[in-house]
Amino acid sequence: ALFLTSPETATEELAKELADLPSDLQDQLLTLCCHDRASPEMRADMERAADSERTLKLLEVFAVNSVATPRGGSGLYLRCSRANHSCRPNGF
């Protein structure tokens, strides 16, 4: 995993952890797909937690691309995030 969180990680903690990553790793994360489909509450939470536009973008990337891990946290995997997928599959 490129980045892992525990189930107890609050948005503020996640924002700090993402902001503290080396800039080259942040740059890799920022190449991932990011579309704004967050609920108004989630968006407001991310905006409160982010100390910069870059951190806000990192939070958005995490929200779109992270997957649940077996121990209840979330993981962000650079290669897996590049796979085409649909949250609303329409194929048989």
Side-chain angles (χ1 to χ4, degrees):
L2 193 58
F3 185 76
L4 290 170
T5 66
S6 72
E8 297 82 28
T9 304
T11 305
E12 292 80 12
E13 289 177 76
L14 177 59
K16 181 172 177 4
E17 290 176 18
L18 288 168
D20 289 344
L21 289 173
S23 61
D24 62 324
L25 189 51
Q26 288 183 12
D27 291 342
Q28 289 180 53
L29 290 174
L30 291 171
T31 65
L32 296 174
C33 175
C34 179
H35 50 77
D36 186 14
R37 292 206 177 156
S39 68
E41 296 83 15
M42 183 182 213
R43 177 76 184 173
D45 191 36
M46 288 190 294
E47 287 174 352
R48 267 193 309 276
D51 62 354
S52 69
E53 285 297 316
R54 184 175 177 94
T55 303
L56 178 59
K57 184 75 171 174
L58 288 165
L59 285 169
E60 292 169 346
V61 166
F62 188 84
V64 169
N65 293 283
S66 64
V67 294
T69 59
R71 294 194 175 146
S74 296
L76 188 54
Y77 302 83
L78 194 57
R79 280 194 189 167
C80 293
S81 295
R82 298 213 177 275
N84 287 332
H85 72 282
S86 173
C87 295
R88 298 173 68 191
N90 59 5
F92 293 98

